[in-house]
Amino acid sequence: MSPVHEGAVFTSLRTQLQEAAEAFADGPDALEGILLGIVDDVDRAVREPLEIFPVCHHSPASAIAMARRLREKQPKVVYLELCEDMAPLLTELRNCRLPVAAQAFASEVDGFPPAWAPLSVVAPITEASAEYQAIAYALDTPDVELVLVDRSSDHVFQWQAQEERSTPTDGPDSPAVPEEAALHGGAVGLEIGDLRPRFADLEEHLLRHGRVRHWSEWWHQYVEVPLGDADHESYRQVMLLIGSLFRRLAPGNPRRVRVDEDRERHMWTRMRAHLASSGVDPADCLYVCGAFHAVSQVAEFGVRGTDTFEIPPPSASTWQYGLIPSSHAAIEAQFGLAAGSVSIAATEWAKNLSRARVRPYRLQGQAGTKKPSKAPKTVASAAPAPQQEPSDRLSGFLRRPPELDPLDRSELLGWSVEIVRAARRNGYLASTADAIAVFETSILLAGMRDRSKPTPYDFQDAAVTCIEKDVVPGRRDVRRLVEIMMGGDRVGQVGYDSLPPLARDVHDRLAPLNLRLQRRGVERALLDIASRPELERCSDVLWMLRYLMPQGAVRLIMGERRLGERPIQESWDVRLGTHQRALIELGYEGVSIEQVLEQRLRRAAYGPRSTAATVLEAVEDATLYLRSRRLADELGTRALEVLAAERSADGAPEVLRRIRRLLGYYRTSESVLPAWIEAFVKTGYAHYCTLLPKAFTDEEATVGQVAAMLGFLCSMESMALSLGCDRTQLELAVAQSHPEEPSKTALLWAAQVQLGNLSRSDLRTRCDQLLGDPLAVPTYPRYLSGFLHALEPAPQLADFVVEAVSNAFARLPDPVLLPWLPSLISTLRSGGAELAPLLVREAGRIFPGRLAALDAWVPPWQSQAEAPRTPSRPEGGATLLAAHPTACEAVSALLGCEGPWATAASAPRSAALVDRHPDTAVALGALLTDR
C-alpha cells in the first residue's frame, strides 16, 4: 500500500474519515486504518499514469461510462482483463447475436487430474457490458490495438483448486434455474469485476439496512441508479472506493488471495512488456479491469512496478477455442445473480442510452442490433480530451443527498396493465382491480423501503402479492412473468461463419432438408428415402447426431436402423438451434462427425471399464453408423481380447444377443466371415466352457446369465467345432456342474437333455416327482423359471415347458395352486419376459383353438406310448436299391468305388447283417421315438 502523501488530492476526505473513526470506534487504530487505507487505494489508482478504468461485469452504469470515456479519450491501446488466449475469438463477435460466450475447451488433459476432464472456460459477453464497448471500439477504430492481459485458460485451472470451481448461489430465496441456464454446461465462468462482498456479515448488513432481498437488488438500487448519470471522475472514484472496501473487508482465504494477486501480477507484467515493446505512451492507453483488481496492492502494480513475477508455462493440454450461445438466465446461474437481474440490467441500459444521449459502440454488421437512423460522426473527427489532473470527487459525491427520482406514473401504469394481461394469458383470474392493486402496492412498498420510485424489484413483489394465488395454473408463475415482461431471457446465437468446421459441415449436409437449423425450437424433417435416395446421406448425419448429441437435440419419430437393412422413410424432430452449444463443442473434438464418432467408439472400446458387451456394441455402432469394415475389425479384435480377460458371466446375455446379430449380418452380406468373428466364437466356446461350472454354483450369477452362456455354447457349437473346438469340453463342463438353486438345477437338466445325457422321459419323471413331493411344490415356480430360460440354449424344449406348466395346473389342488400362482406369475414375468412369446406360440400350437374342443382334447404327451417300440426289420430294401441303382452308382463313382452291382439274389445279405447285429438299429429307434 502506498503511503499517505502530504498535499494529496484526498487530504480533506482523509481528515473527515479520521475524525469519524475516532468518534464512532472504540479506538482509532482498526477503523481508521481501514478507512484511510481505502482512500490511499483510490489515490494511488487515480494517480497512475496508465489510466485504470474500473468496471463491474454486466453493469449498465459501467457500459455507459465506458462508451462516454472512449469517445472522450480515444485511447490508442486498450488493455482488457480477459484471458489472453481468447484474443482471436473477438473478431468473430460481429457474426453473432449477443449474448454469446467465448469458450476455451480441452477434452484431453495433460498435467491436470483426469477427473477434471473436459476442461471448459467461458467468458459471457452482453451488449450492456463495458468489455463489449471496449472490444467494439478497438476492433472498428483504425490504429487502435486491443490487448488481452489476463492469465490464459490453462492458468485458470493451474491456479484454481477443484473445490473452488463451484459458483455461489444468490440466496435461499432464489428461484429455480430455468432451462436456458444450462447453455454454459459445467464450464468455469470468467467475469470482469466480481464486485460482491466476500465478507458474509458485510453483505447481510447491506441487505438488511438497504431493505432488499438479494445482492442484485442492492447493487441496482444503490450503485447502478446513482452512477447512471455520474461524470467520469465521479464514476471512477466511486468504483475504486467500492473495490477497495470489498477487498479490505474480504476474509483472508490464502489460496483465493494468492490467485487474485497472481492475476494482478500477470496483468501488470504483460502491460509493461507491451509498453516497452511498442513504445506507446501510457497516457494514450486505457486499462479496463474489475474494480476489485484496480486497487491492487502488489509490488508489480503500475507502469513503474517491479518485474519479479515469472509467468509459469502452460501445461501440455490441447485447447480449442470458439464462441457458444449464452443467455441472461445462463449468466445469472453462472455467477450467482438473482433471476431476471441481467434482463433488468439490459432494460436499464436502453433507458440510460436515451436519457444520457450516449452513442454506444457496436461492431459493424453485428447481428441483432438496430442500425442507427443517422450516420454517426467518425471518431477521428473529434479531438481526444486533454489529460486532466485528478481531483477529489468523492467528498462531494458522498455528501450529496440522493436525488429523488420522480415517480413515472405512466410507466408504472403500463407495467401494471401488462402484467395483468400476461397473467390472464397464463391462466390466472386477474382483472382490472388487480392492476390497480399492483399499482398502489408498488408505490406502498417503495415508500416502506425509503424509495420515491418503485424499482422493478418492488413491482415484482407487488405483482406476486396481488396476483399470485395458492396454485400456479400454468407453467410460469407471476415472478417469471414479470421477468419476461421486463425484457425476458435473451438467448444469443453464433452465426454460421463463426461456427467450427464440424458444425458448418453438419449444416451443409442437412441443407437438402430445407430446415431452419439456426432457429431455436423444433424443426420437423420428413425423409422419403424411397423416392429421393439422395436423402439417405441426411439420414446418416441425423443418426450420427442422435448418437453424439444430448437427448432431445435430434429425436427420432419414425424409422429404425438395423444391420443389413436400408431405410425407406423417416421422421425427425431437430433442435440444433436450441442445442447449438453441444454442436459447437463437438467441433472441438474433430473436423467431422465421422471422426468424432470414431473417437467416441474407440474411447468406449479401449476404456478401463470396457467389457466384451460394450466393445461388441461399439462394433455394431461402427457398422450401423459409419459402415466402416476397418474400424469394425479393429474393435472386434479388441472384443476378443476383453472376452478372454473376463472372469464372470455378467455380460453373457448382451454378448450373446450382439454376436448373434453380427454373425447373422456378416453371413447375409459377405461371402466370408471376418477373421475376428471366427476367433471370437472359438475363444468364446472355450472361455464359457471354463466358466460354466463356477457360474452354476456362484450365487451372484443369475440364471439368465448362465442360460446365456449355455445359449452361446449350443448355438455356436457347430461353428466352433468346425474351427477346431472339442465337444468334450462342453460335456465335461456340464458334468462338473452341481447347482443347488432350483432354477439353475432345471437349467442343468435341460442342458443334459440337449447333450443327450438325459432323455425326455427321465426329465418328465423328475418333474412328476417334484409335483408329488409336498416339500418341493413351493419351489416348483423356480424350476419353471429355469426351464423357461432353458429355451435360450434349447428352444426345442418349448413343448416340454408347456407340458410342465400344464401338469402343474392339472395335478395341484386349489388350496396349493392358488397361493402358488402369484409366485409363478411374478417369477415368469421377472425371470424370462423376453422368452415368454416363444412359450405362448408353442401353447397356441398345442392347445385347441376352440372352447368346444377342449373337453375331448387329449394332451399329446399323454397319448404317446411309454414303452419303446422295437423297430421292424425292413423288407425288400436291398431289392429296391438293386432295381434302381442309379443313385448308388453316382455315389459310388463320387467316392471312387468301382465294382459289379449286386443282384436281387444277393440282396437279403444286408438284412441278415442287421439280424446278426440288432443293437444299433434298436438304439436308433429308441432315440427317434423319444424325440
Side-chain angles (χ1 to χ4, degrees):
M1 184 181 70
S2 61
V4 179
H5 301 280
E6 294 295 336
V9 177
F10 300 97
T11 302
S12 175
L13 182 60
R14 286 192 182 93
T15 303
Q16 297 173 16
L17 292 178
Q18 188 173 8
E19 294 175 355
E22 294 176 354
F24 294 100
D26 295 336
D29 296 335
L31 183 58
E32 180 182 357
I34 294 176
L35 296 179
L36 297 184
I38 292 174
V39 179
D40 290 341
D41 291 342
V42 177
D43 191 10
R44 182 188 187 191
V46 298
R47 287 181 176 275
E48 176 61 34
L50 174 58
E51 181 178 342
I52 303 174
F53 194 96
V55 300
C56 177
H57 201 45
H58 305 302
S59 169
S62 296
I64 289 290
M66 173 62 70
R68 184 188 292 114
R69 185 56 180 167
L70 288 174
R71 296 197 181 277
E72 292 175 354
K73 184 179 178 64
Q74 298 180 24
K76 296 180 181 178
V77 178
V78 177
Y79 298 110
L80 184 61
E81 180 194 335
L82 195 63
C83 291
E84 57 186 0
D85 52 340
M86 291 184 177
L89 296 176
L90 302 182
T91 57
E92 301 293 336
L93 288 175
R94 65 180 75 253
N95 300 321
C96 306
R97 184 174 69 242
L98 301 180
V100 296
Q103 183 183 37
F105 189 90
S107 57
E108 298 180 0
V109 298
D110 187 357
F112 300 103
W116 288 17
L119 305 180
S120 181
V121 178
V122 296
I125 300 175
T126 63
E127 186 180 359
S129 59
E131 62 267 30
Y132 175 74
Q133 295 299 309
I135 292 171
Y137 163 79
L139 295 183
D140 283 349
T141 305
D143 302 328
V144 174
E145 186 177 3
L146 177 66
V147 182
L148 306 185
V149 294
D150 201 0
R151 84 283 198 210
S152 66
S153 304
D154 194 273
H155 290 96
V156 171
F157 292 93
Q158 287 190 29
W159 297 351
Q160 191 173 22
Q162 184 176 14
E163 61 270 11
E164 295 177 356
R165 292 175 57 183
S166 60
T167 303
T169 58
D170 198 87
D173 297 333
S174 299
V177 177
E179 179 183 358
E180 290 77 6
L183 287 178
H184 295 171
V188 174
L190 303 176
E191 59 179 348
I192 299 179
D194 179 18
L195 279 186
R196 182 166 182 166
R198 298 183 182 179
F199 189 34
D201 292 341
L202 174 61
E203 181 174 348
E204 181 182 358
H205 176 81
L206 293 176
L207 297 183
R208 183 175 67 253
H209 289 275
R211 299 182 181 180
V212 294
R213 291 174 294 122
H214 44 70
W215 175 251
S216 301
E217 185 177 0
W218 186 94
W219 182 266
H220 174 270
Q221 178 66 23
Y222 294 100
V223 179
E224 288 292 336
V225 175
L227 292 182
D229 297 329
D231 59 273
H232 169 65
E233 282 300 326
S234 299
Y235 164 82
R236 192 159 74 117
Q237 294 178 19
V238 170
M239 292 294 289
L240 292 171
L241 175 70
I242 297 174
S244 178
L245 175 66
F246 291 169
R247 189 182 187 102
R248 289 183 174 273
L249 294 182
N253 185 343
R255 182 173 185 85
R256 189 167 185 180
V257 171
R258 184 174 68 252
V259 170
D260 290 335
E261 292 180 349
D262 285 346
R263 290 181 60 189
E264 294 155 2
R265 295 186 179 99
H266 184 283
M267 290 187 283
W268 280 109
T269 302
R270 291 299 193 200
M271 285 187 286
R272 280 195 303 271
H274 181 268
L275 290 172
S277 62
S278 62
V280 66
D281 186 0
D284 295 332
C285 303
L286 187 67
Y287 172 35
V288 183
C289 67
F292 189 87
H293 300 294
V295 290
S296 173
Q297 302 177 26
V298 297
E300 290 81 1
F301 179 87
V303 295
R304 299 182 182 89
T306 61
D307 288 324
T308 59
F309 181 69
E310 295 184 2
I311 300 175
S315 69
S317 301
T318 303
W319 288 88
Q320 303 287 336
Y321 301 92
L323 296 173
I324 63 172
S326 183
S327 67
H328 292 170
I331 296 172
E332 292 160 0
Q334 185 96 54
F335 303 110
L337 305 176
S341 58
V342 179
S343 299
I344 293 175
T347 304
E348 193 72 18
W349 157 257
K351 290 182 181 179
N352 290 345
L353 287 180
S354 59
R355 182 174 56 184
R357 296 185 179 181
V358 175
R359 182 158 49 91
Y361 288 94
R362 290 189 176 96
L363 289 172
Q364 295 179 3
Q366 180 75 61
T369 58
K370 297 181 180 179
K371 296 182 179 180
S373 56
K374 298 181 180 179
K377 297 180 180 180
T378 59
V379 177
S381 62
Q387 187 73 21
Q388 298 180 357
E389 290 295 329
S391 59
D392 182 9
R393 301 294 181 89
L394 275 178
S395 300
F397 188 86
L398 296 177
R399 286 182 175 181
R400 186 180 63 190
E403 296 181 3
L404 298 180
D405 195 0
L407 174 63
D408 190 346
R409 300 181 64 88
S410 60
E411 180 186 50
L412 186 57
L413 281 173
W415 287 356
S416 303
V417 173
E418 184 62 29
I419 188 59
V420 169
R421 183 182 294 114
R424 290 182 63 86
R425 285 197 301 265
N426 285 269
Y428 287 92
L429 300 178
S431 62
T432 306
D434 294 316
I436 299 173
V438 171
F439 178 85
E440 297 295 342
T441 306
S442 301
I443 299 175
L444 178 63
L445 285 177
M448 295 173 61
R449 296 167 179 174
D450 294 334
R451 303 168 187 167
S452 59
K453 177 184 178 180
T455 65
Y457 298 99
D458 296 329
F459 174 77
Q460 187 180 55
D461 293 340
V464 172
T465 302
C466 299
I467 301 177
E468 189 74 70
K469 305 300 186 294
D470 294 337
V471 179
V472 178
R475 187 165 55 95
R476 301 184 178 97
D477 57 6
V478 175
R479 189 176 301 278
R480 179 61 181 155
L481 294 178
V482 174
E483 295 172 8
I484 296 174
M485 189 191 71
M486 291 294 177
D489 183 24
R490 188 172 304 171
V491 181
Q493 185 183 76
V494 179
Y496 174 84
D497 296 330
S498 299
L499 292 174
L502 181 144
R504 292 200 300 267
D505 179 62
V506 169
H507 283 251
D508 295 340
R509 293 167 68 177
L510 294 180
L513 300 179
N514 297 322
L515 302 178
R516 295 173 294 179
L517 299 178
Q518 291 278 50
R519 174 180 172 271
R520 291 182 58 83
V522 178
E523 291 287 317
R524 176 63 58 87
L526 303 176
L527 284 72
D528 188 1
I529 303 174
S531 60
R532 296 182 60 189
E534 67 274 10
L535 295 182
E536 186 174 355
R537 297 182 178 180
C538 298
S539 173
D540 295 339
V541 174
L542 291 174
W543 278 103
M544 285 186 283
L545 291 176
R546 180 176 180 264
Y547 182 90
L548 294 172
M549 296 191 68
Q551 185 178 6
V554 179
R555 188 167 68 94
L556 179 65
I557 304 300
M558 181 190 69
E560 61 180 355
R561 176 159 291 201
R562 293 182 179 178
L563 290 174
E565 297 183 2
R566 308 297 295 183
I568 300 176
Q569 286 184 340
E570 293 177 352
S571 177
W572 297 83
D573 277 350
V574 183
R575 301 179 62 190
L576 292 184
T578 305
H579 295 81
Q580 193 179 48
R581 178 187 66 85
L583 181 62
I584 291 174
E585 289 184 351
L586 283 182
Y588 301 151
E589 302 182 41
V591 296
S592 66
I593 52 177
E594 287 83 1
Q595 180 184 2
V596 175
L597 180 56
E598 182 173 344
Q599 293 175 357
R600 296 275 185 92
L601 294 177
R602 290 180 187 275
R603 193 178 304 127
Y606 290 92
R609 297 184 178 180
S610 61
T611 62
T614 58
V615 180
L616 287 179
E617 181 182 5
V619 174
E620 189 173 351
D621 292 337
T623 307
L624 273 177
Y625 304 129
L626 296 177
R627 299 188 178 94
S628 174
R629 175 66 183 274
R630 171 191 56 82
L631 180 60
D633 291 347
E634 177 185 345
L635 298 181
T637 305
R638 169 63 179 172
L640 178 62
E641 299 173 357
V642 175
L643 178 67
E646 288 184 349
R647 293 297 178 264
S648 66
D650 294 343
E654 191 68 17
V655 169
L656 178 60
R657 283 193 292 267
R658 295 194 179 277
I659 197 63
R660 278 177 174 174
R661 283 201 295 264
L662 290 170
L663 189 59
Y665 166 72
Y666 284 118
R667 279 174 172 170
T668 56
S669 62
E670 299 184 11
S671 57
V672 180
L673 290 177
W676 74 267
I677 282 278
E678 297 180 349
F680 190 92
V681 172
K682 182 177 180 181
T683 303
Y685 189 86
H687 178 70
Y688 284 137
C689 284
T690 305
L691 295 181
L692 190 62
K694 180 181 178 181
F696 265 114
T697 57
D698 189 2
E699 295 181 357
E700 296 182 357
T702 64
V703 62
Q705 295 171 353
V706 180
M709 296 174 64
L710 285 172
F712 185 95
L713 294 172
C714 295
S715 60
M716 306 291 172
E717 183 179 12
S718 59
M719 183 177 177
L721 296 181
S722 67
L723 295 174
C725 294
D726 190 355
R727 194 170 192 264
T728 309
Q729 291 179 286
L730 178 58
E731 294 176 349
L732 290 175
V734 173
Q736 295 173 358
S737 301
H738 304 286
E740 297 180 359
E741 207 272 331
S743 59
K744 292 182 181 180
T745 302
L747 185 61
L748 179 62
W749 293 347
Q752 292 173 350
V753 172
Q754 179 72 12
L755 294 176
N757 299 333
L758 183 68
S759 64
R760 283 203 174 194
S761 59
D762 294 337
L763 182 61
R764 187 177 294 110
T765 301
R766 294 183 181 183
C767 292
D768 292 340
Q769 292 175 354
L770 291 175
L771 289 176
D773 187 357
L775 298 178
V777 168
T779 62
Y780 195 73
R782 299 167 66 184
Y783 283 93
L784 291 181
S785 176
F787 286 131
L788 184 61
H789 282 93
L791 298 180
E792 187 75 65
Q796 66 272 16
L797 289 178
D799 58 338
F800 178 80
V801 179
V802 174
E803 175 186 344
V805 176
S806 301
N807 287 336
F809 278 88
R811 294 179 55 181
L812 294 178
D814 290 345
V816 177
L817 182 63
L818 292 180
W820 175 75
L821 192 58
S823 176
L824 171 66
I825 296 175
S826 62
T827 302
L828 295 180
R829 179 179 296 177
S830 61
E834 66 277 1
L835 298 171
L838 179 62
L839 193 64
V840 172
R841 285 197 303 270
E842 186 65 25
R845 186 186 65 84
I846 294 178
F847 287 95
R850 297 180 177 275
L851 184 61
L854 185 60
D855 295 335
W857 176 72
V858 178
W861 53 85
Q862 292 183 4
S863 60
Q864 297 175 356
E866 297 296 336
R869 295 174 298 174
T870 302
S872 60
R873 180 172 60 87
E875 296 291 343
T879 306
L880 181 64
L881 293 177
H884 304 280
T886 306
C888 289
E889 289 177 352
V891 174
S892 172
L894 182 63
L895 297 176
C897 300
E898 298 180 356
W901 184 255
T903 61
S906 61
R909 295 178 182 177
S910 60
L913 182 63
V914 174
D915 292 338
R916 289 196 301 268
H917 305 283
D919 297 337
T920 302
V922 172
L924 179 61
L927 179 63
L928 295 177
T929 304
D930 288 342
R931 288 185 177 274

